[in-house]
């Protein structure tokens, strides 16, 4: 008769299919010499034989799987019969011998874990479906635990999961009997970042006590991101770690509070981090794919408790050479001064998975259009504390191939600091390749521009048809496969939209760099504000249009006193378009939401509501216009005068033979600026389509897993949502809970500095007694007024016309309110940011990239904002 139990290291992985996924993984680890606790594996046929002996044929797993419907009450009765039945003597003797052997080796407790045939597989994880029982100290407890694991196959969701997998997967549960590790610190590590797909880093979650609290999302752990190549920290976040799961001396586990002083200390030492990173690299190398590893540390010894495959975001193949040696990560300069304006704050996993590849591909195309080569392993985009950052060191290194581009140019255009650090870090790269590619670059640039307008015209027709088709679909009526197809259609539309927008952006960046390089060579065009004045009042900028339309609607509302009174007097939260008196204003607002309802505050975050869902900002803007003066004509005339004077100065400063070329180049910059803003609106509209799919997927997830909570899909990656739709029985609640906890933790952390070297400091250092704050001049003019800090729509009720609007990031969702402010101050952004373009279009004085503006300034402070000098002076409280 085959052996009931085998020592884990004697199980041959390639012959271990009958032992289940968990046992096979542990056997592979143990045989490769990894530090796996002593364990025995029991094959699935033992449980099958036992169930066959105590259950009628119609109550066995395969018969139940073929039945059309099995009531939960019947399943509970079957589970009870399995748990109450007497185990065969050969099983009892084998378990007793194994426990005795492990006790002789020093074991004081044991863990019994299920190892089903459908667990821990690349295509089927079944995470959390079966049972694990910890710190069992008596033989009878271990024997009962084995029966509990076997009975777990009769759980309704397990049977449903098995039905979806089909007849090819055995309905069988093996067992792992393992020595209990009394871990002082434990957790989970991922050999590749599971959210970003970055194979260059290890992500480690750690907390005190046993790892079950981390795995189940009941504690906020420390999070460490370690660079594989160098072992250097990319980021470190100290979690709350308020509780720990500890062993009871008499058996079992309990939760205990962690002393407050220990909560604020790192759970892992530097040496332990290095050890775990090395362990992660070796495990990944051994299996040949990314792994999710549970580990524990007891008396300074690291143990591997489990290792399963990880489903990662798909990473597109990257062309290009690899770098000879990696960067020293302690000297990398990171900045979100510009990109953070488009996507401020903490990003949900779903949004990151959609936009990270989009951004990476976009930057590569932009650099390629300039004639620069980009290393295949270039790390252009990263996330810190859940926020998106750009690698300025990498950007500067790539752009240094262009002879006239200096790192300070990049910093000046994008916002940020540390130009000197970039000078120190970035060794000038050879421009030979750039010059060799220059003829092709110029030819491609001319060719793309020649056909670009025709491409855009063709795309606009295609986009209009796809928009109408996709928006006409009601996702609630779709089968899971249909919803997955809808998601695929939206993803394809983003690829198409992004491709043409990124072409426009690449051309804009090229033209801007050439123009700014030329302007610096001509006397009279070197002033810091000259470039901004040339781009003021462009007219017909798509992202500025919603604010201009609302200003017109406000003028109409003035002519309808009953409507104006309703908007001015009602609570913002009570205002709806349908609740307004019938008339031209209500009709105009209905059309406004039809045209622009896809926009919103933090509109690049797919989890954020749109104006069509939350119209608070729309009505707050109307209220501010109605309460303030109507002086738009004078502001528009000022903008035109500024632009015309800058153009006249340009003509006087540029040598006559070069004037036609410089004038043409300026026209190109203006055209591509308008084009980029127009196409970005299409991208935002497609993100709204992603939102519709994610909301419906969330509804379905919550219906079958109430513990996942609302909006669960936003805490999954795009690949994971696809898997949920493909497999109606995929269980994600535990994963969602863990990520939701991490997201909420990140939201409570102060924003890291907009630019930093290495990784974010733990202390953002916001204490300041300075009366004058400095940033980057974004839109000319001087304004005085009272500070009004807006962090989310709930603060809009306090805004009054003429206030100086202060926001962390002036993404375009705030734009309609700009026209009612006397000036705007932002913590993020640069001269090329979307907000800066809109503010120049409106003629509103603005200073961007003012460090910690929302925390240094206070509501009600009287300030003087100088949009030419880039300063904000506090005049009084």
């Amino acid at each position: 008769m085959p052996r009931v139990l085998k020592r884990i290291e004697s199980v041959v992985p390639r012959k271990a299919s009958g032992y289940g996924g968990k046992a096979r993984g542990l056997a592979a680890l143990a045989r490769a010499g990894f530090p796996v606790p002593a364990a025995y594996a029991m094959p699935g046929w033992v449980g099958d034989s036992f169930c066959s002996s105590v259950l009628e044929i119609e109550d066995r797993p395969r018969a139940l799987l073929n039945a059309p419907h099995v009531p939960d009450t019947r399943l509970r009765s079957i589970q009870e019969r399995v748990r109450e039945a007497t185990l065969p003597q050969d099983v009892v003797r084998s378990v007793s011998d194994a426990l005795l052997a492990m006790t002789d080796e020093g074991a004081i407790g044991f863990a019994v874990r299920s190892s089903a045939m459908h667990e821990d597989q690349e295509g089927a994880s079944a995470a959390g479906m079966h049972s694990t029982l910890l710190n069992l100290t008596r033989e009878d407890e271990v024997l009962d635990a084995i029966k509990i694991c076997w009975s777990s196959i009769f759980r309704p969701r397990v049977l449903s999961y098995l039905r979806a997998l089909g007849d090819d997967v055995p309905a069988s549960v093996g067992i792992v009997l393992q020595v209990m590790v009394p871990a002082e610190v434990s957790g989970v590590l991922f050999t590749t970042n599971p959210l970003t797909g970055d194979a260059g880093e290890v992500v480690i979650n750690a907390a005190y006590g046993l790892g079950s609290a981390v795995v189940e999302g009941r504690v906020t752990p420390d999070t460490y991101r370690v660079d594989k190549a160098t072992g250097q920290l990319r980021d470190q976040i100290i979690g709350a770690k308020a509780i720990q799961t500890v062993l009871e001396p008499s058996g079992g586990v309990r939760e205990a509070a962690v002393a407050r002083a220990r909560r604020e200390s790192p759970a892992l030492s530097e040496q332990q981090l290095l050890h775990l990173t090395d362990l992660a690299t070796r495990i990944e190398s051994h299996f040949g794919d990314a792994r999710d590893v549970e580990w524990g540390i007891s008396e300074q010894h690291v143990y591997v408790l489990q290792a399963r495959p990880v489903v990662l975001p798909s990473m597109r193949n990257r062309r290009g050479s690899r770098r000879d040696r990696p960067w020293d990560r302690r000297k990398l300069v990171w900045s979100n001064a510009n990109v953070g304006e488009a996507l401020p704050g903490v990003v949900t996993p779903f949004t990151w998975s959609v936009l990270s590849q989009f951004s990476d591909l976009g930057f590569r195309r932009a650099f390629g259009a300039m004639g620069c080569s980009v290393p295949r392993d270039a790390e252009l985009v990263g996330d810190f504390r859940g926020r998106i950052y750009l690698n300025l060191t990498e950007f500067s290194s790539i752009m240094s191939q262009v002879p006239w581009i200096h790192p300070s140019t990049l910093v000046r255009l994008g916002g940020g600091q540390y130009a000197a650090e970039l000078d120190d870090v970035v060794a000038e790269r050879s421009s030979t390749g750039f010059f060799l590619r220059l003829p092709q670059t110029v030819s491609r640039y001319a060719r793309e521009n020649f056909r670009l307008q025709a491409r855009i015209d063709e795309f606009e027709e295609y986009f209009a048809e796809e928009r109408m088709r996709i928006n006409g679909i009601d996702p609630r009526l779709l089968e899971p496969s249909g919803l997955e197809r809808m998601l695929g259609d939206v993803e394809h539309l983003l690829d198409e939209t992004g491709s043409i927008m990124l072409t426009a952006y690449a051309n804009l960046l090229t033209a801007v760099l050439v123009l700014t390089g030329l302007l610096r060579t001509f006397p009279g065009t070197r002033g810091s504000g000259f470039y901004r004045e040339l781009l003021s009042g462009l007219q017909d900028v798509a992202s500025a249009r919603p604010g201009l339309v609302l200003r017109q609607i406000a003028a109409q509302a003035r002519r309808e006193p009953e409507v104006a009174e309703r908007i001015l007097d009602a609570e913002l939260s009570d205002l709806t378009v349908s609740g307004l008196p019938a008339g031209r204003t209500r009709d105009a607002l209905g059309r406004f939401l039809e045209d622009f309802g896809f926009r919103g505050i933090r509109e690049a975050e797919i989890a954020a509501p749109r104006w069509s869902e939350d119209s608070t900002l729309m009505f707050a803007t109307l209220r501010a216009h109605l309460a303030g003066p109507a002086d738009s004509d004078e502001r528009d005339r000022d903008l035109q005068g500024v632009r015309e004077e800058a153009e006249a100065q340009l003509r006087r400063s540029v040598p006559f033979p070069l004037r036609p070329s410089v004038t043409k180049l300026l026209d190109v910059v203006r055209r591509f600026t308008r084009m980029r803003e127009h196409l970005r609106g299409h991208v935002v509209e497609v993100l709204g389509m992603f939102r519709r799919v994610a909301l419906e997927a969330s509804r379905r997830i919550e219906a079958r897993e109430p513990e996942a909570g609302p909006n669960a899909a936003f805490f999954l990656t795009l690949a994971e949502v696809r898997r949920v739709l493909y497999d109606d029985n995929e269980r994600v609640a535990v994963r969602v809970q863990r990520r939701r906890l991490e997201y909420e933790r990140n939201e409570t952390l102060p924003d890291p500095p907009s630019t930093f070297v290495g990784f974010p400091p733990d202390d953002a250092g916001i204490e300041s007694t300075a009366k004058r704050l400095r940033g980057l001049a974004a839109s000319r003019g001087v304004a005085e007024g009272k500070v009004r800090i807006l962090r989310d729509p709930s603060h809009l009720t306090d805004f009054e016309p003429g206030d100086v609007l202060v926001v962390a990031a002036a993404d375009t969702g705030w734009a309609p309110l700009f026209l009612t402010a006397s000036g705007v101050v932002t913590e993020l952004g640069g001269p090329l940011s979307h907000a800066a373009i809109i503010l120049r279009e409106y003629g509103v004085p603005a200073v961007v990239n003012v460090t910690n503006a929302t925390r240094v300034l206070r509501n009600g402070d009287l300030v003087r904002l100088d949009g030419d000098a880039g300063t904000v002076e506090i005049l009084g409280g």
Side-chain angles (χ1 to χ4, degrees):
M1 184 176 181
R3 292 169 61 184
V4 172
L5 280 173
K6 290 183 74 172
R7 189 81 177 199
I8 196 70
E9 57 267 26
S10 68
V11 175
V12 180
R14 68 176 182 276
K15 299 179 180 179
S17 59
Y19 286 86
K22 192 175 282 119
R24 185 168 61 251
L26 285 172
L29 289 165
R31 290 169 69 89
F34 290 101
V36 174
Y40 285 79
M42 181 183 292
W45 67 260
V46 180
D48 296 344
S49 176
F50 176 71
C51 290
S52 296
S53 69
V54 299
L55 297 175
E56 302 296 331
I57 293 177
E58 61 269 19
D59 288 339
R60 296 172 192 172
R62 187 52 60 186
L64 295 172
L65 289 171
N66 294 326
H69 174 68
V70 183
D72 289 358
T73 52
R74 180 182 170 192
L75 292 177
R76 285 194 293 271
S77 173
I78 295 172
Q79 291 180 65
E80 191 67 25
R81 271 180 276 160
V82 171
R83 290 195 292 265
E84 289 180 353
T86 301
L87 285 169
Q89 280 304 304
D90 61 329
V91 174
V92 174
R93 282 195 301 271
S94 296
V95 170
S96 180
D97 290 345
L99 295 180
L100 181 61
M102 290 188 286
T103 300
D104 288 344
E105 295 173 15
I108 58 173
F110 306 93
V112 175
R113 304 174 185 270
S114 66
S115 180
M117 305 305 110
H118 50 274
E119 276 190 291
D120 293 354
Q121 309 293 315
E122 186 173 351
S125 66
M129 286 194 180
H130 292 278
S131 298
T132 292
L133 294 97
L134 302 176
N135 197 30
L136 308 174
T137 57
R138 302 194 314 270
E139 181 178 311
D140 62 317
E141 292 176 333
V142 172
L143 294 172
D144 286 342
I146 290 171
K147 291 186 288 183
I148 289 173
C149 287
W150 284 338
S151 71
S152 65
I153 201 168
F154 299 102
R155 292 173 179 170
R157 69 172 185 169
V158 174
L159 289 174
S160 181
Y161 189 83
L162 284 167
R163 285 192 190 98
L165 293 178
D167 295 337
D168 293 339
V169 178
S172 186
V173 177
I175 299 292
V176 172
L177 176 54
Q178 194 172 45
V179 168
M180 191 71 208
V181 176
E184 298 100 24
V185 179
S186 55
V188 180
L189 68 80
F190 299 90
T191 64
T192 292
N193 191 312
L195 296 182
T196 67
D198 185 350
E201 71 178 15
V202 175
V203 179
I204 301 172
N205 292 327
Y208 300 118
L210 305 182
S212 55
V214 177
V215 172
E216 296 166 10
R218 291 183 287 108
V219 67
T220 306
D222 296 345
T223 300
Y224 308 87
R225 293 170 49 212
V226 187
D227 186 71
K228 283 182 183 175
T230 64
Q232 295 170 2
L233 268 175
R234 291 188 178 186
D235 196 11
Q236 168 183 292
I237 307 172
I238 304 304
K241 306 188 297 294
I243 61 168
Q244 60 180 327
T245 303
V246 298
L247 304 181
E248 285 279 30
S250 59
V253 298
R254 64 179 176 86
E255 284 190 356
V258 176
R260 187 166 298 277
R262 292 187 73 211
R263 298 178 192 179
E264 300 172 359
S265 301
L268 294 173
S269 67
E270 184 175 344
Q271 183 177 2
Q272 289 170 331
L273 270 176
L274 290 173
H275 190 156
L276 286 169
T277 303
D278 176 68
L279 185 66
T281 303
R282 290 191 290 117
I283 288 175
E284 185 175 62
S285 176
H286 176 74
F287 285 103
D289 59 13
R291 293 276 151 166
D292 166 357
V293 181
E294 292 181 28
W295 54 270
I297 299 176
S298 177
E299 297 181 349
Q300 299 304 311
H301 293 289
V302 178
Y303 295 93
V304 179
L305 307 177
Q306 190 170 319
R308 60 168 68 93
V310 182
V311 178
L312 296 172
S314 60
M315 300 299 287
R316 299 176 181 175
N317 292 330
R318 294 175 175 175
R319 300 178 62 187
S321 61
R322 299 184 70 87
R323 187 176 288 101
D324 292 335
R325 66 176 189 271
W327 293 112
D328 182 346
R329 302 197 66 85
R330 294 167 297 183
K331 297 181 179 180
L332 290 181
V333 180
W334 295 91
S335 176
N336 71 344
N338 204 340
V339 71
E341 176 255 357
L343 188 50
V346 181
V347 181
T348 59
F350 187 74
T351 297
W352 171 265
S353 66
V354 171
L355 292 183
S356 57
Q357 289 189 43
F358 176 81
S359 300
D360 184 90
L361 179 63
F363 287 124
R364 289 173 183 273
R365 284 179 176 170
F367 288 133
M370 295 170 61
C372 299
S373 65
V374 182
R376 186 170 69 252
D377 58 347
E379 183 185 358
L380 302 176
V381 182
D383 84 287
F384 294 89
R385 321 282 164 89
R387 285 87 167 168
I388 289 181
Y389 278 79
L390 302 183
N391 185 346
L392 290 191
T393 302
E394 193 78 80
F395 275 51
S396 298
S397 175
I398 294 167
M399 292 181 68
S400 67
Q401 297 170 65
V402 183
W404 60 84
I405 299 299
H406 193 269
S408 60
T409 305
L410 181 67
V411 173
R412 185 171 61 253
L413 289 175
Q417 309 162 40
Y418 299 105
E421 281 77 0
L422 290 175
D423 284 340
D424 293 339
V425 170
V426 178
E428 291 294 330
R429 297 177 60 174
S430 171
S431 298
T432 302
F434 173 81
F435 283 115
L436 289 175
R437 290 187 297 270
L438 191 57
Q440 295 96 323
T441 302
V442 173
S443 174
R444 183 176 63 247
Y445 184 80
R447 188 169 59 252
E448 286 184 350
N449 278 281
F450 178 75
R451 287 209 69 253
L452 185 56
Q453 191 57 55
R455 282 185 60 199
I456 289 177
D457 292 341
E458 294 169 2
F459 167 77
E460 289 292 344
E461 184 176 346
Y462 161 77
F463 186 84
E465 293 174 355
E466 281 295 280
R467 171 205 284 142
M468 182 176 296
R469 183 183 69 82
I470 293 174
N471 286 340
I473 298 173
D474 187 344
R476 296 171 298 177
L477 305 179
L478 296 176
E479 294 292 326
S481 59
L483 191 60
E484 185 190 12
R485 283 194 299 273
M486 181 179 178
L487 181 58
D489 290 345
V490 175
E491 191 174 8
H492 178 70
L493 185 57
L494 179 65
D495 285 342
E496 294 294 316
T497 308
S499 174
I500 196 161
M501 188 199 79
L502 293 169
T503 299
Y505 182 73
N507 287 331
L508 171 63
L509 184 60
T510 302
V512 165
L513 289 171
V514 174
L515 179 62
T516 53
L518 287 173
L519 291 180
R520 286 199 303 273
T521 66
F522 303 134
T525 64
R526 298 173 183 171
S528 61
F530 187 67
Y531 172 77
R532 295 189 301 275
E533 292 167 3
L534 286 171
L535 296 184
S536 294
L538 292 179
Q539 302 177 353
D540 198 27
V541 173
S543 49
R545 183 158 177 72
L548 299 173
V549 171
L550 280 179
R551 186 174 66 181
Q552 294 170 356
I553 294 175
Q556 174 62 44
R558 291 178 189 274
R559 297 190 286 272
E560 297 181 76
E562 188 178 354
V563 174
E565 182 180 355
R566 169 72 177 159
I567 293 173
L568 286 168
D569 295 342
E571 293 288 334
L572 277 178
S573 58
D574 294 336
L575 285 170
T576 62
V577 173
S578 59
L580 295 177
R584 292 185 176 180
T585 300
R586 190 171 82 173
D587 293 344
L589 286 175
R591 289 192 297 272
F592 177 87
L593 290 178
E594 288 177 6
D595 294 338
F596 307 111
F598 61 87
R599 310 213 75 140
I601 296 172
R602 297 191 74 231
E603 61 192 10
E605 169 54 68
I606 299 173
R610 276 36 189 167
W611 290 341
S612 58
E613 302 169 71
D614 182 355
S615 55
T616 304
L617 183 128
M618 181 181 76
F619 282 110
T621 301
L622 288 175
R623 176 178 291 181
H625 278 304
L626 291 171
D631 58 353
S632 60
D633 291 343
E634 181 179 350
R635 180 176 282 179
D636 292 343
R637 285 193 297 270
D638 288 345
L639 282 175
Q640 184 177 351
V642 167
R643 189 178 66 253
E644 290 174 352
E645 174 57 32
E647 290 171 352
Q649 183 179 345
L650 180 67
R651 287 191 294 271
R652 291 192 299 268
S653 303
V654 175
F656 181 78
L658 295 178
R659 286 178 190 173
S661 298
V662 174
T663 302
K664 178 65 175 177
L665 185 59
L666 177 60
D667 289 340
V668 169
V669 170
R670 289 171 171 172
R671 181 164 68 93
F672 282 133
T673 299
R674 295 189 189 96
M675 191 181 296
R676 182 185 75 152
E677 293 303 300
H678 173 73
L679 293 170
R680 183 183 186 274
H682 285 342
V683 170
V684 172
E685 194 165 0
V686 177
L687 296 181
M689 299 175 191
F690 274 107
R691 176 171 170 79
R692 291 179 63 216
V693 177
L695 287 171
E696 175 56 22
S698 297
R699 185 188 68 79
R700 299 183 187 198
I701 291 170
E702 188 176 14
R704 67 174 180 249
E705 291 185 90
E707 62 271 27
N711 299 322
F714 295 112
F715 297 95
L716 300 173
T717 65
L718 183 61
E720 290 167 342
V721 171
R722 281 189 177 283
R723 188 163 172 171
V724 166
L725 296 178
Y726 173 79
D727 180 359
D728 194 49
N729 297 287
E730 176 75 1
R731 292 301 184 257
V732 296
V734 172
R735 194 181 314 160
V736 167
Q737 290 167 351
R738 284 165 55 181
R739 291 182 185 167
R740 195 191 303 272
L741 198 64
E742 182 178 4
Y743 180 87
E744 292 170 351
R745 184 271 312 278
N746 286 338
E747 278 197 309
T748 64
L749 297 172
D751 287 328
S754 62
T755 310
F756 58 85
V757 179
F759 64 91
D762 293 330
D763 181 8
I766 64 170
E767 293 297 326
S768 174
T769 58
K771 292 297 183 181
R772 174 171 293 188
L773 311 180
R774 294 193 174 275
L776 299 175
S779 182
R780 70 185 305 274
V782 176
E784 289 189 9
K786 291 183 177 180
V787 166
R788 178 55 55 191
I789 300 171
L790 297 183
R791 292 186 171 87
D792 58 64
S794 66
H795 298 109
L796 285 167
T797 55
D798 301 322
F799 180 81
E800 295 181 0
D803 282 349
V804 172
L805 178 63
V806 180
V807 290
D811 67 270
T812 52
W814 289 108
L817 206 62
F818 294 169
L819 276 169
T820 67
S822 61
V824 175
V825 178
T826 79
E827 291 182 334
L828 300 177
L832 285 182
S833 67
H834 299 285
I837 291 170
I838 296 170
L839 287 160
R840 289 194 292 268
E841 182 75 2
Y842 290 165
V844 176
V847 180
V848 300
N849 208 245
V850 180
T851 303
N852 292 320
T854 61
R855 285 173 282 179
V856 174
L857 298 174
R858 297 287 183 268
N859 282 321
D861 283 350
L862 181 64
V863 297
R864 184 175 188 272
L865 178 156
D866 191 329
D868 297 295
T871 60
V872 181
E873 185 177 358
I874 303 174
L875 303 178

